[in-house]
Amino acid sequence: MLFKPDLKPDLGETAKADRERGAPVARRGRRTIATVIVLLVLGGFGYVGWTSLQQRQSANRIRPDQAVPILAATAHIKDVPVYLDGVGAVRALNNVLVRPQVDGKLISINFVEGQDVKKGDVLGEIDPVIYKAQLDQAVAKKAQDEALLANQRLDLIRYQQLAAANAGSKQQYDTQRAVIAQQEALVDADQAAIDNARATLGYTKIIAPISGRTGLRQVDQGNIVHASDSTGVAIITQLQPIAVMFSLPQQQIVRVNAASARGALTVDVFGNDGTTVVDTGKLAGIDNQVDPTTGTLKLKAEFPNANLQLWPGQFVNVRLKVDTLAQAMVIPTSAVQRGPTGTFSYIIGDNDTVTAKPVTVTQQSETEAVIADGLSTSDRVVTTGFASLSDGAKVSVGKDEPAPVADIAPRKRNRGGREGRDGSEGGRGREGREAREARDGQPAKDWQSERRGKRGERRQGDGDQNGQTGLVQGNGQGSEQPGNTAKPQP
């Protein structure tokens, strides 16, 4: 018997296939929902930020009919110096390496490292025994030759007498005169040897050739030193006065030479902050050529350096005064603005309205600007508040008051409470209230009694409502009494 195959599909496999086809669709749907939620959140944040920005801009925006708050200054007349700025290095006027001039043992050192010494001070001493002996030998040799010379002079007198009496030859007399001349020359040579030996003996003392400050010691006591040593004993540097070498651009050569021809030029040196002048000196010299590698001209200035503010090898900022603008019109630098057509300033009119007026600036520094044309001494110029300013705008001129100074340390706290924000005594505590009343001229109150009286009133009211306890008030004080009635306090 033949059986027909069952053509009905397996329900389990069909459901499994349906689930497999539906899984990607579900995942895509969840991903779409998550994307929509993220976009909504980002849109919400963007809307909030845009709203706050618009509110801030509207708060900062000044209405056309509202006066713009500004600060102003008035142009004034003064003499303005003209400076050329440069960068330089401090150099010592004299720097000497002290070396021994003779060989020998260094038996003493008479200076301390970093000590100020004067010219002629003895810095050290070399053993002088050998050189003292050489001096004594030269002195003895001279004495010997002088004694021989004295005898030869006596012989010359005798020969002269014999020649006069025709008892001796004249030739012998002339020969004796030549011998005496030779002996005199020998005595002079002995004196020169003595001077040489005495000078050599003096070289055993190492003398400071200049006044200045000693550096670190190069050799210690007890060492054998030589005149050919390259290290020497010490280095002496002259600090007062001192020199500064600085450079200026080659474009300023003509200006510097013209100013130097009129007289001595003043040079200022700034400290580490770049604004404080630590010393003032004079221009000492100008180099005779321009450095071709940098295109600058070297100049040298001398400073007294009374307070030792300058030190050799230090880099400093320098300014050279080349001219003075007499009776120049000056305004604050912040009042000078720059536009498409050049520099201008806002002038405040009679009705507190501003007008943009072109000005010609001759010289400008960090604080002041010299105006050659465009302003008068009666003009008031705007120095701050340009962000909301325009030509013809109405302004409100404020006062340039100093900024409040913050407390360096916290103020003293009182026992009754903290100190008030306005710096008054007391603060919030009882002692603070009493101090403020005393300061204002009000009679001091018995705060403790008043506080106890108020507490008694509150407790009495509670006792009347509950009918359980009573509180009697007397003399500003209240005390609790057990029971259902209030008893007077004795």
Side-chain angles (χ1 to χ4, degrees):
M1 182 177 179
L2 297 175
F3 294 94
K4 295 180 64 176
D6 191 2
L7 298 178
K8 187 177 181 180
D10 189 0
L11 295 179
E13 294 179 357
T14 304
K16 183 177 180 180
D18 292 340
R19 283 196 303 271
E20 290 177 355
R21 286 192 301 271
V25 177
R27 283 196 297 271
R28 285 195 298 271
R30 287 194 296 269
R31 190 180 299 109
T32 302
I33 294 173
T35 303
V36 172
I37 293 174
V38 171
L39 292 177
L40 291 176
V41 172
L42 293 177
F45 281 118
Y47 176 77
V48 172
W50 179 82
T51 304
S52 61
L53 179 61
Q54 292 297 324
Q55 292 176 355
R56 191 180 300 108
Q57 292 180 353
S58 61
N60 295 333
R61 190 180 298 113
I62 299 177
R63 296 176 301 174
D65 58 344
Q66 185 178 358
V68 179
I70 63 165
L71 295 178
T74 304
H76 58 282
I77 302 296
K78 62 179 293 188
D79 294 339
V80 180
V82 180
Y83 294 107
L84 298 179
D85 297 329
V87 178
V90 182
R91 296 287 184 269
L93 282 179
N94 295 293
N95 192 22
V96 178
L97 174 60
V98 181
R99 297 180 181 178
Q101 294 179 270
V102 294
D103 300 344
K105 181 180 179 181
L106 188 63
I107 60 175
S108 67
I109 292 180
N110 303 329
F111 70 94
V112 181
E113 296 174 334
Q115 175 185 348
D116 291 328
V117 296
K118 300 295 183 181
K119 181 179 180 180
D121 290 348
V122 179
L123 303 180
E125 187 174 358
I126 299 173
D127 191 0
V129 174
I130 297 177
Y131 304 100
K132 180 68 168 57
Q134 292 176 357
L135 175 61
D136 295 341
Q137 184 179 2
V139 171
K141 181 65 169 58
K142 179 183 178 182
Q144 180 183 1
D145 293 338
E146 286 179 344
L148 183 60
L149 177 61
N151 183 47
Q152 291 174 353
R153 285 175 177 172
L154 292 176
D155 292 340
L156 178 64
I157 295 175
R158 296 188 187 99
Y159 292 149
Q160 183 180 6
Q161 293 175 353
L162 292 174
N166 294 324
S169 65
K170 189 176 180 181
Q171 180 181 3
Q172 188 178 11
Y173 170 74
D174 293 338
T175 302
Q176 188 63 25
R177 288 181 59 184
V179 171
I180 291 176
Q182 293 177 0
Q183 192 64 28
E184 288 177 349
L186 185 59
V187 172
D188 293 338
D190 292 339
Q191 182 60 44
I194 292 174
D195 294 339
N196 182 46
R198 184 175 287 113
T200 304
L201 180 62
Y203 291 156
T204 58
K205 292 183 178 180
I206 303 175
I207 306 299
I210 62 171
S211 298
R213 177 164 295 188
T214 59
L216 301 180
R217 188 172 64 248
Q218 304 295 323
V219 65
D220 297 328
Q221 178 179 340
N223 286 281
I224 301 298
V225 294
H226 304 277
S228 59
D229 291 342
S230 60
T231 56
V233 177
I235 298 176
I236 299 179
T237 302
Q238 184 178 357
L239 300 179
Q240 295 175 333
I242 203 167
V244 173
M245 304 290 294
F246 63 99
S247 301
L248 291 178
Q250 61 181 3
Q251 291 80 6
Q252 304 294 342
I253 295 177
V254 177
R255 195 173 189 180
V256 173
N257 288 332
S260 179
R262 294 193 295 267
L265 301 183
T266 303
V267 184
D268 297 329
V269 172
F270 293 95
N272 295 329
D273 56 358
T275 57
T276 304
V277 177
V278 297
D279 207 351
T280 301
K282 299 294 183 181
L283 184 65
I286 304 174
D287 199 3
N288 57 2
Q289 59 182 352
V290 176
D291 187 355
T293 59
T294 60
T296 57
L297 179 67
K298 292 183 180 179
L299 299 94
K300 180 180 180 181
E302 292 185 10
F303 297 86
N305 198 24
N307 299 324
L308 298 178
Q309 298 275 2
L310 304 177
W311 210 255
Q314 177 184 0
F315 289 97
V316 292
N317 293 324
V318 181
R319 68 179 183 186
L320 173 65
K321 182 180 178 181
V322 294
D323 197 2
T324 300
L325 301 179
Q327 299 298 308
M329 184 175 298
V330 179
I331 62 174
T333 302
S334 58
V336 179
Q337 301 295 308
R338 285 172 173 78
T341 59
T343 55
F344 68 94
S345 294
Y346 285 105
I347 310 300
I348 303 176
D350 297 334
N351 299 325
D352 287 341
T353 57
V354 296
T355 303
K357 192 173 183 180
V359 295
T360 303
V361 180
T362 303
Q363 177 180 314
Q364 184 173 343
S365 63
E366 295 181 358
T367 57
E368 294 179 338
V370 179
I371 305 300
D373 187 19
L375 295 179
S376 63
T377 55
S378 60
D379 290 337
R380 292 189 304 165
V381 294
V382 179
T383 58
T384 59
F386 300 101
S388 303
L389 204 60
S390 60
D391 193 5
K394 190 174 183 59
V395 296
S396 174
V397 182
K399 295 181 179 180
D400 191 6
E401 298 180 352
V405 180
D407 292 338
I408 298 177
R411 298 181 182 271
K412 181 180 179 182
R413 296 178 181 270
N414 293 321
R415 292 178 299 172
R418 293 176 297 179
E419 185 175 357
R421 295 181 180 178
D422 57 351
S424 60
E425 298 178 356
R428 299 181 181 179
R430 173 172 55 85
E431 291 82 353
R433 291 193 295 269
E434 293 176 357
R436 288 194 296 272
E437 290 176 356
R439 183 191 60 189
D440 298 337
Q442 299 178 0
K445 297 181 181 179
D446 189 357
W447 293 98
Q448 185 176 5
S449 300
E450 184 176 352
R451 186 169 61 253
R452 291 178 180 176
K454 291 181 180 180
R455 187 168 61 246
E457 292 177 357
R458 290 195 299 271
R459 291 181 179 177
Q460 183 179 5
D462 295 340
D464 293 340
Q465 293 177 3
N466 300 330
Q468 295 178 356
T469 59
L471 186 64
V472 179
Q473 179 181 4
N475 298 328
Q477 297 180 355
S479 60
E480 297 183 1
Q481 300 292 339
N484 297 328
T485 61
K487 296 182 181 180
Q489 183 179 12

